[in-house]
Each structure stands twice: as C-alpha cells, then as structure tokens.
Amino acid sequence: LNLNAPANYMVIQTHNPTVEVIGNGDDDGKSTTAAITINVIDTTAPVITSIGIVSSNNTSTTAKTDDTITLTFTSNEELQTPNASFFSGGNAITDTPSNSVSNINNEYNYTFSYTTHSSDTDGDVTFSIPCIDLAGNTTTITTVPDGSSIKFDKTNPEATTLTIVSDNLDNSVANVGNVITVTLVSNEDLASLSGTIANAAVSISGSNQNWTATYTLLNSDNETTTIPFSLTLTDLAGNQSTLDQNNTTDGSSINFDKTNPDVTSLTIVSDNTDQTKAIVGDTITINLISNENLLSLSGTIHGNSATTSGTDNVWSVTYTLVDTDNEIVNIPFSLTLTDLAGNQTTLDQTNT
C-alpha cells in the first residue's frame, strides 16, 4: 500500500492507536487493505463531576477530632494518581489522605479520606486536587458545586452568660414549690443541653445559643445554702462542656430554705416606770431577735394591730394602750415571722 500515491482511502476498522484502511493506492492500482499507526494527540482536560464532601460526624457538615472527612468525584477518563491537599482553618491538615479508584462503565470514581486530628486548626475544611489525565491535561478542583462544606471544630463550647434565679420574691432564696431557672447563653450554637438542678432532672428549652433549664423544688429536696446544678453543653460537632453552680457569670446562687424561722430572743416590756405593768397611754414594746434575716414581721398586741419596725434579724413591735382595751394580767400578742424564703412562724406571749 503506497500511501504516497494518489488514491482514495477509507478507514474500515480502528484499534487505537492502529487504524485499518482500504484503498487503491498501490502502484498497480489494485485495492489493498493495510494497518497503519496514528499517534492521537489528547489536548482535552478531564471532565470532573459528582464532587461531594462529607464528615463521619452525626452532623455531616461538621467534624471534631477523630472524625473522618471523605471527598469523592468522578472523572470521564483515567487520571494519573491525584495528589490531594486538604486544609483546615487555612492550614495543612495533620493526617495524610488515603485514596482509591474504581472504574465503572469507563467512569473513574475517586475517593479521598483523612482523619481529623487534635493538631488541626478549627475552621472550614478546604481542598485542592489537580486531576491530571494520562496525556498531562489538568483540571483542578477546589470547591463542591452545590456549595456544601465541612467545618472542623475541636473546641468545647463555653457559656458567655450563666445565671441562676428563683421565682421567689427574693430571687436568691427559694422554698418548696419555687421554680429554679438556670439561663445560659453559649458562645456557639448547641445541638443539645442536659443536666440537673438540686440533683434532679430538669426541663430544658431553647435553641441555637439561648437555653434555659428549670426545676420546681420539692419537700424531699435537701436544704442547702447553694442549690447545686450541673449542665452539659453539646455543640453541633459533638464537643461537650459541663458547667455547674461554680461557673455562674454573675456570681448568682440560690439558698434553699424550707425551715421556719425561730427567735433567739423575744421580750415584752412597757414604758411604765415598772416595765412589767402598764396603764392606758403606756406603750407596749416587743423586741425580737431571729435566728435568720426576716422578710417581714407582722402581728397584734392585745388584739390590736401593732406597729412593726426593724431589719435583718432585729425587730420590734409596739402598741399604745387605750381606754377600751380590757384589763388583763398578761397582755397577749401574736407575731408572724416570715423569712426570706417565705417560711413562716407564729409566736405569742408563751414564747418569751
């Protein structure tokens, strides 16, 4: 077959890089079939599709230490072994990525994965993978077309605000039946919040960074000057922190007091020359020292409303006798002591 001779040739079969042709290019003009080798030059970059990245974390768009990041893509042709570079928070990762490839119907499926490390930097996971075909053409992938991404977070969540209050009139003390509320603002979105107040299960409400935990005190709960609580914060990546009553950001605490107040001193006197006797116009004074600070003191002397004054645990009650008051050997009185938690005790002339 003289390919230099003027002739007509037709390709009848291809066997890359060999083609089989037929033509009348022989010097004698006869039709001849021959196989010739043609070097085909590939100048087309590989087409990369189906790019995806996921984390083994329960939330596939986040990762914490020891999670696995997996990136996959499909090429329309075989590639030279790709060299993948992964970055976390803008810095190179600690682990060396592994890779594998499978060929299904002339589509080459590539998989890269690595395990996150405590030395990796918090932040977005990024990558750069030059995809070089056998002819040397290159397509570099650096993003996922659908915009999906993974954030690496190895840092435990913290509270920027953590307070505890009671629904008592004085919100720093509590009695049986009072509702205790712990309010928390975290420095990042949380997946969940759980815990206890007064060593009992709590009701949790909230989302993102704002959460509350509540509990209603029971008579079976132990009295304490500082109601304990313990809360476990879990962020979206699964990192956890546990905070308690020692971590309040404003120093708040609750004194749980279910015991009625008592007195250490209780006396009654008259302003008469003889303090044990009284006539019309004399003022009767009851002096009281309680074993704890009181919220209020109220009562009567000789069946009449009395004037109360005092603060903390030192109080007095006075009444001036009038002509309509009945004579009596022992002037009666009744006093109701209310402590800061709302517990009450009633005392009378038999308690001096």
Side-chain angles (χ1 to χ4, degrees), residues 23-323:
N24 60 353
D26 282 345
D27 293 336
D28 57 6
K30 295 180 180 179
S31 177
T32 303
T33 300
I36 61 175
T37 299
I38 299 176
N39 292 320
V40 178
I41 300 176
D42 177 6
T43 60
T44 303
V47 177
I48 307 301
T49 58
S50 303
I51 306 171
I53 188 169
V54 296
S55 165
S56 63
N57 193 283
N58 290 334
T59 303
S60 62
T61 57
T62 63
K64 59 182 179 61
T65 302
D66 293 328
D67 283 339
T68 299
I69 307 296
T70 301
L71 184 142
T72 58
F73 64 85
T74 298
S75 172
N76 68 329
E77 59 180 309
E78 185 177 1
L79 303 176
Q80 300 178 32
T81 303
N83 182 21
S85 298
F86 285 88
F87 305 90
S88 184
N91 295 315
I93 62 170
T94 304
D95 194 23
T96 300
S98 63
N99 67 82
S100 62
V101 61
S102 64
N103 181 2
I104 301 176
N105 298 325
N106 289 324
E107 285 192 338
Y108 293 84
N109 302 303
Y110 289 85
T111 300
F112 294 84
S113 63
Y114 76 92
T115 300
T116 57
H117 193 274
S118 59
S119 298
D120 292 343
T121 306
D122 277 349
D124 291 334
V125 173
T126 56
F127 58 90
S128 178
I129 304 178
C131 300
I132 307 173
D133 67 16
L134 301 184
N137 302 295
T138 303
T139 296
T140 300
I141 58 174
T142 57
T143 59
V144 179
D146 65 4
S148 59
S149 62
I150 294 174
K151 182 177 181 179
F152 175 62
D153 177 8
K154 64 180 179 182
T155 304
N156 294 335
E158 297 178 357
T160 57
T161 299
L162 183 65
T163 62
I164 182 171
V165 296
S166 163
D167 66 349
N168 192 284
L169 186 61
D170 182 339
N171 64 14
S172 66
V173 296
N175 197 351
V176 174
N178 282 148
V179 177
I180 306 302
T181 300
V182 178
T183 300
L184 179 147
V185 179
S186 58
N187 65 335
E188 60 178 307
D189 288 351
L190 299 182
S192 66
L193 179 71
S194 61
T196 61
I197 297 176
N199 301 311
V202 296
S203 297
I204 300 289
S205 62
S207 62
N208 300 329
Q209 294 175 255
N210 298 283
W211 298 78
T212 58
T214 59
Y215 173 69
T216 302
L217 292 167
L218 304 175
N219 191 55
S220 56
D221 292 324
N222 295 325
E223 278 190 321
T224 178
T225 55
T226 302
I227 293 178
F229 69 86
S230 178
L231 297 179
T232 298
L233 296 67
T234 304
D235 68 16
L236 300 181
N239 302 296
Q240 292 186 327
S241 294
T242 298
L243 304 176
D244 61 23
Q245 65 277 2
N246 298 309
N247 302 119
T248 57
T249 54
D250 62 350
S252 56
S253 64
I254 305 295
N255 175 16
F256 178 34
D257 176 9
K258 60 181 180 179
T259 301
N260 294 335
D262 203 351
V263 292
T264 58
S265 175
L266 181 64
T267 61
I268 181 170
V269 296
S270 165
D271 65 351
N272 193 285
T273 304
D274 183 346
Q275 291 183 332
T276 64
K277 295 180 173 60
I279 61 174
V280 173
D282 285 344
T283 297
I284 307 302
T285 301
I286 300 172
N287 293 307
L288 176 152
I289 299 176
S290 59
N291 66 336
E292 61 179 305
N293 290 343
L294 299 181
L295 177 66
S296 65
L297 178 68
S298 61
T300 62
I301 297 176
H302 208 338
N304 299 291
S305 296
T307 300
T308 301
S309 63
T311 184
D312 298 333
N313 68 329
V314 179
W315 296 75
S316 64
V317 182
T318 59
Y319 172 70
T320 301
L321 294 168
V322 296
D323 189 58

